[in-house]
Amino acid sequence: MRRSNPATFTRPAALALALALGILSLAGVVLTARPALAEDGMVTLRGDPAAEAAERQKLFSTLAAAANADEAQTTAAHIWSLWFRAPNADAKALMEQALERRGARDYAGATAVLDKLVESAPDWAEAWNQRATMRYLLRDAEGSLADIDRVLALEPKHFGALSGQALILMHQGKMDAGQAALRKAVDIDPFLSERALLMGPPGRDI
């Protein structure tokens, strides 16, 4: 059965919407920081790398084939839980500190902690992703994009990083590059909320 296509906008409407929502959406999208994770003890320690890689692959396949938004959100939540698995106890503690400071809207403080985290755990994609979020909230779009590049080098299917990248680029007026990033994100998570910003001619499915 063919999945229904997401809503799309004509170019002028999509441009206006992307520019209007860029800052507000990105605050929760550049790999949603999910501050409750620290409070709920959900920043956990990494297990067997091979087993976790196999689990991620299975979840990504399930996500791509999701029949509805509820199913997609449930699967995406499981993927997020894997992304928030720290490589060691020190990295876990730093991530929890950063999320707590973000929850208190201490973005500069959170960034300072994340600076230490990406230095001590450079192979943890979510560390870079969280710093990308903080950098954007501190109005450092270029720094955020640089961190997103690091995220995607480590986790090419990070739909949160891709959607954040898309919103930044569209907010900068780089619509073609932004749309390309957004299409990649929607290919991974077909029910991603930012899919509504995909542009196309009136009446044409994307």
Side-chain angles (χ1 to χ4, degrees), residues 153-178:
L154 294 164
E155 175 52 278
K157 290 189 175 182
H158 203 305
F159 49 82
L162 283 165
S163 61
Q165 182 185 59
L167 289 170
I168 292 175
L169 292 171
M170 288 191 289
H171 189 68
Q172 292 178 333
K174 301 173 183 176
M175 301 304 293
D176 289 342

Side-chain angles (χ1 to χ4, degrees), residues 94 130 159 189:
L94 286 172
Q130 294 304 312
F159 49 82
D189 181 356

